[in-house]
Amino acid sequence: SCEQTIEEVWALGIAAESGVNVSSMARGVLTDAEWIIIEEKAVDWGTMPIWFIGPSRERRSRRPRITADVIIEAVLDMQNRTGIDPDIVFVDYLQLLKSTRPNASKTVEMADTLEDCKDGALDTGCGWSVNVQARREVDAQALPIPGPDSGQWTSAIEQFSDRQWSAVRPIKYRKTGEMFGSRVVQGNEVLLTLWKQKLGKDGVPFWLYLDPAYNRLEELDRGVETDGKDT
């Protein structure tokens, strides 16, 4: 991860395993029973072969210079040392990956990095999920739903990806009870749109409900409705 620390990613995993809210974990507002559950799950996780590459507060390690090649080497090392083949690699996120051509334009740099990620999927024999931030212009749309060409500096993304999704949180743009297209806005929902799928249907929307037991969206956690801007 180029964005979250290893400790933050670890906490999200423990929250998912234990069912304890990660926001409560971050604030230290936990019951005795929840502490016991977290301790048990942390022990379980400690015995699992999990690889995290990223910055760490505890180890005083800064953000590493992560390129697609670094990720490929880490995955291949994991396979060679443990014999475990990964199901999927999550890259969070594309714009913060370092390029092998840092002096090129941002568009060319992103195209090169996407090509490297595609090579990574082929080299490691598993899928790579590469997260891309949408352009700011999407916020100004009547319905701010990112399209296939909405990624920042990523005009080549359709050529390199076998499947392409977009995600939007309606609560960022509408108040609870208002309409987002044909749907009434409510709490922890994300609209996913499958724009491209190799040898399959595309242009298909899905509504995803995020269980508050695992994570509450920040606005709802504070009881604040926004006007579309981050606060």
Side-chain angles (χ1 to χ4, degrees), residues 30-150:
L30 299 168
T31 66
D32 291 341
E34 287 174 332
W35 273 114
I36 293 172
I37 295 172
I38 289 172
E39 290 173 354
E40 291 176 350
K41 295 302 179 182
V43 171
D44 291 342
W45 262 48
T47 63
M48 292 175 63
I50 301 175
W51 268 251
F52 289 132
I53 304 173
S56 170
R57 289 192 303 269
E58 292 180 1
R59 303 174 195 167
R60 298 293 190 271
S61 62
R62 296 183 178 181
R63 265 191 339 200
R65 190 179 189 281
I66 299 179
T67 65
D69 285 344
V70 169
I71 299 173
I72 294 169
E73 290 172 7
V75 173
L76 293 178
D77 179 63
M78 181 184 74
Q79 291 173 306
N80 292 334
R81 287 202 286 135
T82 68
I84 296 173
D85 293 324
D87 296 316
I88 190 167
V89 173
F90 293 96
V91 179
D92 181 23
Y93 54 88
L94 180 69
Q95 284 91 340
L96 291 181
L97 277 186
K98 302 301 182 182
S99 170
T100 53
R101 295 175 61 184
N103 296 323
S105 70
K106 198 66 177 179
T107 301
V108 172
E109 186 180 334
M110 289 298 97
D112 286 344
T113 305
L114 275 169
E115 188 170 7
D116 292 340
C117 289
K118 183 70 174 186
D119 289 339
L122 297 173
D123 289 346
T124 59
C126 69
W128 281 40
S129 175
V130 181
N131 300 322
V132 180
Q133 186 174 356
R135 299 194 310 269
R136 292 297 183 187
E137 290 84 346
V138 174
D139 288 334
Q141 297 174 181
L143 269 183
I145 301 173
D149 58 348
S150 295

Side-chain angles (χ1 to χ4, degrees), residues 164-166 191-197 200-207:
Q164 190 178 2
W165 294 83
S166 75
L191 172 60
L192 301 175
T193 305
L194 178 57
W195 289 113
K196 174 187 176 183
Q197 181 174 213
K201 291 182 65 176
D202 52 23
V204 183
F206 298 88
W207 284 95

